[in-house]
Amino acid sequence: LCYQVPALVMGGLALVVSPLVALMQDQVAALRLAGVGADTINSSLDREANVAAWRRVASGQTRLLYLAPERLMTERMLEALSRLEVSLVAIDEAHCISQWGPAFRPEYEDLSRLRHIFPNVPIIAVTATADESTRGDIEARLFAERVETLVLGFDRPNIKLAIESKQDSKRQLLRFIERHPGKSGIVYCLSRKKTEEMAAFLEKNGVTALAYHAGMSKEAREANQNAFMTLSGVVMVATIAFGMGIDKPDVAYVFHTDLPGSLEAYYQEIGRAGRDGRAAEAHMLYGLGDIRMRRMFIDDEDAAVEHKRRSHGRLDTLIGYCETAECRRQVLLGYFG
């Protein structure tokens, strides 16, 4: 709604910047089903497919073109686009600018040049999860503060929030899943090794479970994701590599076997549950070992001192959320302002 509808109303070519190939392909497929001329040019397509897509763009058939920041911010692409009638630039999952930072994907930072390259074209940045400091980052880096920021509701009342102390995470997970027989769910683990162990453990106990992490081959990841998206009653055991843009309506629960990275990450991950509006659960196990592990991750990161200080602050907020005696929903909504 925020950028596809305006793109169609305004005419011309809308550019959509998106961080993941799977995300671009999902949106392009959905738009085409609705009869909209949409295309993506990305590294997973062969040269022929990309050239054909560009021809459609250049001839005016394409209304929305999806690109990764790395592809968009090449001189060649910018030069070619400057000759076309670009009507809108939309930056999707804009929190990536803040979270991934200059070390991981420098082109995200580079998107700030767009307002000079397309001076008369409206630019919108959208995300479903950005706390105040992430919003500040987006405003400063992308727009040099010259931007109107709209913050809408964060409340998902159909998701029940629960946290229990970690004793035997395998048994605790199995007990939880046995209360939700035949339902689809996502189980998040901190490491690739634990992801595989948990999936194997569930399978051994009669649960249809699949693993997903960045160490698997692309084919295996895609096969598991497709099975999860198309079948019911599948449990996906995954690292945070799985999730962005996952729009499966009937996910009945999200279970964290380990502490997430921040309250923002937690909110993003539990937001994959209950999209059909039915009752869903967000269940987290939480122990002291998790906190030590997370502190170590932050200290070992190749990042500026200020970035680390903020990361430790975010972790403190998450610990406060876990230990609060108040209503968790109020704490969560208060955090997002």
Side-chain angles (χ1 to χ4, degrees), residues 233-285:
V234 175
V235 177
M236 183 64 98
V237 186
T239 60
I240 55 165
F242 178 77
M244 205 185 283
I246 293 300
D247 202 7
K248 180 176 166 70
D250 61 343
V251 175
Y253 58 84
V254 170
F255 191 105
H256 283 88
T257 64
D258 305 290
L259 190 69
S262 65
L263 210 46
E264 212 176 3
Y266 168 76
Y267 181 83
Q268 177 116 31
E269 286 148 25
I270 67 170
R272 287 152 199 155
R275 292 192 173 190
D276 54 7
R278 294 187 178 166
E281 283 192 56
H283 198 94
M284 189 209 298
L285 303 181

Side-chain angles (χ1 to χ4, degrees), residues 103 292-304 307-309 311-312:
R292 277 199 301 272
M293 193 73 151
R294 285 286 175 196
R295 294 260 183 249
M296 201 174 77
F297 278 179
I298 295 167
D299 291 333
D300 292 349
E301 216 184 334
D302 177 23
H307 182 78
K308 289 185 182 182
R309 191 184 64 75
S311 297
H312 278 297

